[in-house]
Each structure stands twice: as structure tokens, then as C-alpha cells.
Amino acid sequence: MPRQQLYTADQVLPGPTGERIPDGAVLVQNGTILLVGPRADVEAHASPTAEHRDFPGATILPGLINCHVHLVFDACGDPAQAAAQATHTELAGRADQLLRSGVTTVRDLGDRDGLAIQFRNQNPQGLRIVASGPPVTVPEGHCWFLGGAADGEAELRARVRQNAELGADVIKVMASGGQITPNSPKMWDTQFTTAELAAIVDEAHNAGLPVATHAHGTDAIAAATDAGVTTIEHCTWLREGGGGYDLRDDVAAKIAARGIFACVAWPSDWRGFMDRLGSARADQVVSRSAWMADHGIRMIPGTDAGAGTSGFDDYAGALELYEHLGFDRADIIEMATTTSAEALGVGNTTGQLAPGLSADLLVTAGDPLTDLANLRALQLVVARGQSIAMAVE
């Protein structure tokens, strides 16, 4: 019989919000959670030969999920060059950084010719990767250099099928322009019609795949919503021409009613970004997020890691953005675990500590419900039952 691992701590937060087990324990065998509960109950079911690791004063919680990363980018400002030169060794280094920051699952939303998919297939242990392959875009459009450009419905459907054949878990489409591709449509420009986006969604659904849609402009957000996408990335609500925000109540209500998730994908250094925006624009960002929450739009966290200067470490710093926006700490942790797992379609595998789910868990010194900074004080990271080298505080 494979050896069991018994983890005990002052408390276990199994997820979702409100569930807390004082003096709790998690029993793991062969990468799967066998039992979660009060220490005495779990210890009574553990094998006499179980490896027991006790963490006084600590908290055990599910591994975190970063819903928006790019493993082929290097956070050094030239994504096209980084993607062209990316190797499996570099992806492995970035995956290790993510794990050491407490992230046990990521959604990779744009690689070069399926490189992240290949890396995922060759590394069945450690970091769980939900990957899209090359994002679907227009010729010379946003991130065209990743190899996903297509023109017209027939080519768009063919591109979706190609990504599915590569082994994609999700289809990524660039509904608007972006910031990192020179001489391409602006962030607020719409790259596809609603009909074209609907064709992409239809072809993806034929392959059993969800659709994640990059959309900064409000017109692109509206088109993606009408097309029936699964998640909207960035969801910036930029007015056509870039003159501020265009917050449309009817579109927001539709996003909420259709259960579409929003991932704003801000980096860990969001404070520096807000400083560069200036106080007036920063206040608008805060009010925009509150407006989305008031409309019932479900939000999931991500960092766009690799793009721009967004790194692969300090996920706790990225989550502190949501506390700044007014979210409760317990809700933030649920967003980064249970809710994100649901949004990514892996809720039957991870996102909570429950029997039968993957052994993806963290041990933090202190209580993250008291201070999110405790998510940086990691004493242990376990991904799919595999202990990761101790993270540095």
C-alpha cells in the first residue's frame, strides 16, 4: 500500500467561504485526499506508517489558482522575442516560481504553437496547467506572432480545431486589441464581429472546450457576451477611442445572468500601476470593479504573468488588489481556489480540500483570514501530492 501523508495544523480552510476546521488535518495517499476533518478523527483513520507533518500555529488551505498566465513570456518587455526563444527549461523555471508562490494550478492563455501544451504533457506532476495554445486573432492582430491568426469564419473554425488537436483545454480569442503588439489594433478596437465570435464559440463547444476572451473595449465585451463565451479577460470597459470607460449596465447584467466570469488579470505590482495611472484614474478602477461586483459578475484572479513586467512570483501580492477593492479576505481566498476551479472547469479535481480531490494544498504560517500577507509565509506547498521545495518567506 502506498504510504500516506498526514498534515495537521491549528486550522484547515477546506473551502468554500465559511468552512473552517480548528485543530484540523488532511490525510493524503497516492496524490489524492482521503479525509479532511478534526485532527483526532483524521488521525484515527490514518495508517500507523503514515508520514505525519504537524504545523503548529499554521493554516492548511487549498492550493491557489492563477487564472491568467503566459509561460512563454519572460516579463522582460519583449514578448515576441521571448516567445520565439522560449524552451521547456525556461517554462519549467517559471512553473517552479509559481509553485513556490503557492500556485498549484494555472490557466495558460497564449503560447507559441502549443509549447505550453507540450510542457504540460511532459510534466504530469507538479503544476497543473490548463492551456489554450496559440490565441485566435486577426492577421497582424494582437499577439499574431504566437501563430493563431485567422481571417473569416472558415479559417476561424479551422484554427479552433487545430488548437483542439494540439490538446488545448480552452480556446483563447483576442476580441479586442492589446498593448504588447506593435502596429496592431488599439486596446479598445474590436477585432471580431459578434457573428465571428459566435462561430468560434460554436466550434469550441463542438470540441467540448470553453472560450476565454481577451476584451478591453466595451464593444468587444458586449460582442463576446452575446457570443456566449465562458470568461472575459481584462474586462476593462474602455470607450471606443480610448476616452475613459463606458460602463453599460445592460451588458454587465447580461454577463452576470449568463454566468460569465471576469478575470481582470492585474500583476502583483498593481500598486505601482495605480500610481502610474494617477489618483483619478485609480479611483475609477476601484469604482469600476465595485460596479461589476454590484451587478453580480463573478470575478476570478489572474496576473497576466509573463506579459509586460508581470512576474511569476508573489501571487499573494496580486490577491491583495482585491482587498484594496473592498473584497473580504475569505471571499478572496474562495475566488482564488473554489471559484477559479469552477471557472476553469477543474472543480471536480481541485480548488477545495475534500476526499477524492487532488492533493493540492498550502501550509501558511499564521492565518490568511487575518492577513493575506500570510500567504507569502509558506511552510509547505503540495501539488498533486508532490511536496515542493520550501518556499522562501
Side-chain angles (χ1 to χ4, degrees):
M1 175 183 293
R3 191 175 184 186
Q4 296 176 347
Q5 294 80 42
L6 174 64
Y7 304 103
T8 55
D10 280 19
Q11 69 170 346
V12 174
L13 304 177
T17 296
E19 295 189 21
R20 176 180 175 274
I21 305 171
D23 195 23
V26 180
L27 183 62
V28 172
Q29 181 174 298
N30 200 28
T32 300
I33 297 172
L34 294 182
L35 190 62
V36 180
R39 183 191 300 251
D41 293 348
V42 177
E43 287 180 339
H45 287 84
S47 165
T49 62
E51 176 190 0
H52 185 183
R53 301 187 65 177
D54 183 41
F55 297 90
T59 299
I60 302 175
L61 68 155
L64 303 175
I65 300 174
N66 188 329
C67 294
H68 193 133
V69 308
H70 297 276
L71 291 172
V72 298
F73 295 162
D74 62 4
C76 290
D78 190 346
Q81 181 177 359
Q85 299 176 350
T87 66
H88 281 210
T89 299
E90 290 172 327
L91 267 63
R94 293 160 196 164
D96 185 63
Q97 288 182 35
L98 287 157
L99 286 166
R100 289 170 180 268
S101 74
V103 174
T104 57
T105 298
V106 298
R107 185 175 54 160
D108 187 287
L109 288 180
D111 67 15
R112 183 199 80 218
D113 300 327
L115 190 65
I117 295 172
Q118 297 168 24
F119 177 74
R120 177 204 68 194
N121 293 345
Q122 294 174 17
N123 294 271
Q125 300 301 316
L127 184 69
R128 176 177 287 98
I129 300 172
V130 176
S132 73
V136 182
T137 190
V138 297
E140 302 301 313
H142 184 48
C143 287
W144 63 266
F145 51 83
L146 294 176
D151 186 19
E153 181 176 331
E155 286 189 14
L156 292 171
R157 287 182 178 272
R159 181 69 253 179
V160 171
R161 291 194 296 271
Q162 283 179 270
N163 282 9
E165 290 166 3
L166 285 173
D169 303 296
V170 56
I171 299 300
K172 170 74 176 298
V173 57
M174 301 300 199
S176 78
Q179 292 179 289
I180 64 173
T181 311
N183 304 314
S184 67
K186 303 295 185 183
M187 290 174 64
W188 51 82
D189 288 338
T190 301
Q191 295 200 144
F192 294 107
T193 66
T194 302
E196 287 173 326
L197 291 173
I200 292 169
V201 170
D202 179 64
E203 198 64 42
H205 288 178
N206 289 342
L209 300 176
V211 176
T213 304
H214 163 110
H216 285 294
T218 297
D219 288 344
I221 293 170
T225 301
D226 287 339
V229 304
T230 309
T231 69
I232 299 176
E233 310 303 307
H234 308 294
C235 206
T236 314
W237 301 92
L238 289 179
R239 188 182 306 279
E240 182 66 27
Y245 300 114
D246 180 14
L247 305 182
R248 299 183 194 170
D249 291 323
D250 59 329
V251 178
K254 194 178 296 184
I255 292 172
R258 296 186 176 184
I260 298 171
F261 295 86
C263 179
V264 297
W266 273 38
S268 299
D269 184 29
W270 55 270
R271 293 177 180 85
F273 183 63
M274 283 196 169
D275 286 344
R276 291 188 293 274
L277 285 177
S279 59
R281 287 288 299 277
D283 288 345
Q284 286 183 310
V285 168
V286 173
S287 63
R288 182 189 67 198
S289 298
W291 172 81
M292 286 195 287
D294 288 344
H295 276 82
I297 296 174
R298 301 179 71 188
M299 300 176 71
I300 52 176
T303 61
D304 213 0
T309 58
S310 181
F312 295 90
D313 57 357
D314 192 24
Y315 194 44
L319 295 179
E320 288 168 353
L321 165 66
Y322 298 92
E323 188 169 21
H324 177 77
L325 296 176
F327 288 78
D328 182 80
R329 284 185 288 272
D331 292 336
I332 295 168
I333 292 173
E334 181 177 6
M335 284 169 55
T337 55
T338 308
T339 304
S340 290
E342 178 188 347
L344 271 56
V346 294
N348 292 328
T349 301
T350 191
Q352 299 184 55
L353 302 179
L357 296 190
S358 176
D360 302 330
L361 60 88
L362 312 178
V363 181
T364 69
D367 185 357
L369 295 178
T370 300
D371 187 349
L372 282 179
N374 284 319
L375 291 174
R376 292 190 183 90
L378 297 174
Q379 297 186 339
L380 180 69
V381 177
V382 177
R384 294 196 273 197
Q386 177 181 351
S387 294
I388 309 304
M390 298 295 285
V392 178
E393 291 189 31

